[in-house]
Amino acid sequence: MPHYVVSACDNMIKRSDKTDFFKLAEVVSSHTSLETARSRKDKLNKQSSSLNGFTIIETPLKLTKGEAYPEELALAQEQERELEAINLLSALWESGLQVSNQLLQRYSSQLAALELTYEDLVEKYGDKARAALDIQTEERQARAGRMARIHAVGEELTQAAQEHTYSFPAVRGVQAGKEFYMAQIPYGVLVKLFVFDEESVPPELRAQRSLSEKRAREISQYVLGNETSYVLPALTATVSKEMRFDAMAVSGSSDRLGMLNIPMTATLLINDGQHRRRGIELALAECPRLSYETIAVTIFFDEGLERSQQIFSDINAKQVKPSSSINALYNKRDPFNAWIVNLLDEMPQVKSRIDFENATVSAGSHKLWSLVGFKKAIATLVGVRMKSPPYPEELAHCGEFVKAFFNQCSQTMPEWRAMMESSISAKAVRHEYVIGHTVWLDALATFTNHAVLNNGTPIGLRMDELKWSGFDKLQSIHALKSAAMWQGRCVSLGKMQRTADGMKLTSVVFFELAGLPLPRDIAEAEERYQANVNSQ
């Protein structure tokens, strides 16, 4: 098909000896090669007084040089405009159909050149842009498949097709320019087919860490204890032989859905998730009906030990373990966590001072205690074990005691009341006072449990009968860090001491002010403290 260079407007080209004039839609030259036509067009545009004054028309019609064909030019320009619009919309949608204002701003000049709004662009060219993106995805997928096969250690695809295979429903994708698959594997198949490196193999020759049976048993117990609500994330594995992917003819899937066929002679090695696999194996031994449940497995072509080790390193190095506070907030499966969170909903003033996201409170935060630190102090206060708390109705009774405790603190200690009412900022409390620190709250909780509950729990007790023995004596507490009563106890060189002995030595102040005897473990800590003071 011939390619014609045509004047896109009334053009003038000045030369040293003459000036050439071209009218709108006039054919300047004819070429059998598109490359030659583009070269001619570019040269004319450099010489032209008009920007993009010349264009190319590709048509089966025979056009005559020097003649004007405005209808053919208009059709070609409309096709070029459509192509630009489709390419622009494809670029906007490349990362997803949700387009941000920042992305629209980046392409605003192209939209302006097309004289279209984004909404007009979608309405007019959306279907064609989606089709173009599907074609691009298919092409990338094909390239990725070829690249993965080049790097994979395995046999030819034709050989794999002749072998007996295991087949799994899967989705194929592309990462780092290479093809991979996400398959759903039944538990019963997982434990039989997928293996991990034996512990006897040296670390430098393994693709992951050695197996911990303790951790695997914990996963097994988690699954068995929560059969209707457990969640296990995907495993990552490599396959030592060439795989075959048979795409399903599903509209709009772009050949991404299908069946993954793995040769029965291949080794399926787990790179990440060996404890989940072992935990599933242990759970199946006790509960065989789980064998038909499935887990997602991300499968890569095996490119050798070095690549497998790198996969393990990349996955685990990029993981960020959630803070103990946010884990406690979200883990409602733990009855003590659930009780603490519900209790705080009933104590909005206290709740506003809890950091639910971080294990330690930052210096500039308006919070006082982390959730995990607060939870530990409350367990000490009510005398229960967090890992084996009492029944919910008994915990509810404990909650009434916690509310009474905070009320007593506000009534007894003016600085505490000012702290809870935000008359003193949290930042000032951390810098200047002891009362807003976890070690001090732990010490006060320890004292209260002994003084009010006689080292027991409030379960079965009436709140109106409790005697808050010695609490009135706490009025004489000096809440500043600089106070002599805290030095060497919870404060050392102006900094809070977050240690077990620091908590015990701080509680000594409360016991002595209240005129109560010291519990044995606290008395022993005090003896060590006094011996150290006397030796200096």
Side-chain angles (χ1 to χ4, degrees):
M1 185 178 295
H3 308 278
Y4 299 94
V5 178
V6 178
S7 177
C9 58
D10 291 329
N11 263 310
M12 178 181 68
I13 295 180
K14 289 184 178 182
R15 307 183 191 279
S16 58
D17 55 342
K18 65 173 182 175
T19 301
D20 293 329
F21 295 93
F22 301 95
K23 57 182 179 291
L24 174 68
E26 179 181 344
V27 176
V28 178
S29 58
S30 174
H31 307 272
T32 57
S33 165
L34 178 58
E35 185 178 351
T36 306
R38 285 175 177 166
S39 177
R40 173 68 168 154
K41 180 199 72 170
D42 293 342
K43 183 177 180 181
L44 288 171
N45 278 330
K46 289 179 181 178
Q47 298 171 338
S48 173
S49 57
S50 302
L51 183 64
N52 296 324
F54 294 88
T55 188
I56 295 174
I57 294 177
E58 183 180 354
T59 176
L61 300 176
K62 184 173 178 57
L63 307 184
T64 304
K65 181 179 178 180
E67 294 295 321
Y69 299 89
E71 292 182 0
E72 295 298 324
L73 174 63
L75 179 60
Q77 288 177 327
E78 178 56 33
Q79 291 174 343
E80 185 176 356
R81 172 186 167 86
E82 180 177 290
L83 182 60
E84 290 177 0
I86 292 171
N87 288 340
L88 173 58
L89 195 51
S90 297
L92 287 167
W93 282 352
E94 191 168 13
S95 299
L97 297 181
Q98 295 295 327
V99 178
S100 66
N101 291 331
Q102 184 178 5
L103 193 59
L104 287 175
Q105 185 65 31
R106 188 190 306 171
Y107 288 97
S108 59
S109 59
Q110 289 95 318
L111 282 168
L114 291 169
E115 298 180 347
L116 291 172
T117 65
Y118 172 67
E119 290 73 18
D120 294 337
L121 191 68
V122 173
E123 182 179 355
K124 193 168 184 179
Y125 300 105
D127 291 342
K128 293 181 179 179
R130 290 187 185 92
L133 281 173
D134 285 342
I135 293 172
Q136 292 174 18
T137 300
E138 290 172 7
E139 291 175 348
R140 281 198 296 267
Q141 192 72 58
R143 286 196 300 271
R146 290 193 296 271
M147 181 64 68
R149 284 162 177 78
I150 289 172
H151 289 282
V153 177
E155 301 174 358
E156 294 296 327
L157 181 62
T158 52
Q159 288 180 298
Q162 295 171 357
E163 292 190 55
H164 294 292
T165 61
Y166 301 107
S167 298
F168 308 104
V171 179
R172 66 176 175 180
V174 177
Q175 283 185 4
K178 298 176 185 178
E179 193 169 68
F180 75 101
Y181 309 96
M182 178 66 79
Q184 292 294 329
I185 310 295
Y187 288 172
V189 175
L190 177 79
V191 299
K192 291 179 181 178
L193 301 187
F194 288 79
V195 299
F196 48 86
D197 294 345
E198 297 297 332
E199 291 187 31
S200 58
V201 179
E204 66 273 13
L205 298 180
R206 292 201 304 261
Q208 69 275 301
R209 65 172 73 94
S210 59
L211 184 74
S212 166
E213 281 291 331
K214 179 177 180 294
R215 188 177 173 200
R217 284 195 300 273
E218 289 173 351
I219 293 173
S220 172
Q221 291 163 7
Y222 161 68
V223 172
L224 294 171
N226 303 280
E227 280 190 54
T228 60
S229 60
Y230 75 89
V231 176
L232 290 178
L235 283 69
T236 302
T238 53
V239 174
S240 65
K241 288 198 171 185
E242 186 67 58
M243 297 174 281
R244 188 180 79 252
F245 183 80
D246 296 331
M248 297 172 61
V250 179
S251 177
S253 70
S254 300
D255 295 333
R256 289 189 291 267
L257 302 178
M259 295 299 292
L260 179 64
N261 303 281
I262 301 175
M264 288 185 178
T265 55
T267 298
L268 288 68
L269 179 66
I270 293 178
N271 299 93
D272 182 71
Q274 66 270 30
H275 289 98
R276 273 160 277 162
R277 180 238 177 251
R278 177 59 175 158
I280 289 171
E281 184 177 23
L282 294 173
L284 284 178
E286 294 189 37
C287 185
R289 67 174 177 272
L290 290 172
S291 62
Y292 297 103
E293 298 206 0
T294 62
I295 190 168
V297 180
T298 304
I299 299 175
F300 294 88
F301 288 91
D302 190 341
E303 298 176 37
L305 177 64
E306 184 176 344
R307 172 62 177 160
S308 294
Q309 289 175 334
Q310 191 62 56
I311 289 174
F312 175 82
S313 175
D314 288 348
I315 290 172
N316 288 278
K318 303 302 181 290
Q319 289 181 345
V320 179
K321 187 177 180 180
S323 74
S324 50
S325 282
I326 203 165
N327 190 53
L329 174 64
Y330 292 162
N331 185 13
K332 302 297 174 47
R333 203 185 300 282
D334 183 321
F336 194 83
N337 284 347
W339 172 69
I340 284 287
V341 173
N342 291 335
L343 176 61
L344 285 170
D345 286 337
E346 300 172 14
M347 304 167 61
Q349 189 180 62
V350 178
K351 182 178 180 180
S352 67
R353 296 309 219 169
I354 304 297
D355 188 331
F356 288 94
E357 294 193 33
N358 303 294
T360 56
V361 182
S362 63
S365 174
H366 65 282
K367 308 293 186 180
L368 292 173
W369 307 290
S370 69
L371 178 60
V372 67
F374 179 81
K375 182 178 74 167
K376 179 177 176 294
I378 297 305
T380 299
L381 175 68
V382 297
V384 303
R385 292 171 56 86
M386 289 188 288
K387 292 187 177 181
S388 55
Y391 292 110
E393 58 271 17
E394 295 173 324
L395 279 175
H397 204 66
C398 292
E400 295 304 313
F401 180 75
V402 175
K403 295 175 191 176
F405 165 75
F406 276 90
N407 184 52
Q408 286 291 332
C409 290
S410 291
Q411 290 181 12
T412 304
M413 295 173 280
E415 291 90 347
W416 180 282
R417 182 169 59 253
M419 174 182 74
M420 297 307 297
E421 293 175 352
S422 298
S423 299
I424 308 174
S425 72
K427 185 176 181 180
V429 168
R430 272 189 298 278
H431 288 175
E432 302 173 24
Y433 296 82
V434 293
I435 55 175
H437 291 268
T438 305
V439 64
W440 202 86
L441 181 64
D442 278 338
L444 185 58
T446 299
F447 161 76
T448 305
N449 180 264
H450 282 80
V452 181
L453 301 178
N454 193 27
N455 196 26
T457 75
I459 298 170
L461 302 178
R462 286 180 52 181
M463 293 298 108
D464 58 353
E465 293 180 347
L466 291 177
K467 293 181 172 56
W468 293 84
S469 306
F471 246 76
D472 56 327
K473 303 291 180 60
L474 302 187
Q475 292 177 351
S476 60
I477 279 177
H478 297 290
L480 290 171
K481 279 186 187 179
S482 57
M485 61 175 59
W486 311 121
Q487 304 311 307
R489 297 183 182 277
C490 60
V491 179
S492 177
L493 301 177
K495 294 184 178 180
M496 299 298 295
Q497 296 294 99
R498 298 167 57 187
T499 63
D501 268 5
M503 181 278 294
K504 292 175 182 178
L505 295 175
T506 302
S507 70
V508 169
V509 176
F510 304 132
F511 282 103
E512 289 181 346
L513 287 173
L516 297 176
L518 299 179
R520 181 176 177 180
D521 61 326
I522 294 175
E524 290 173 351
E526 178 66 10
E527 289 174 6
R528 291 193 298 271
Y529 168 71
Q530 293 297 340
N532 184 53
V533 170
N534 294 332
S535 66
Q536 292 178 357

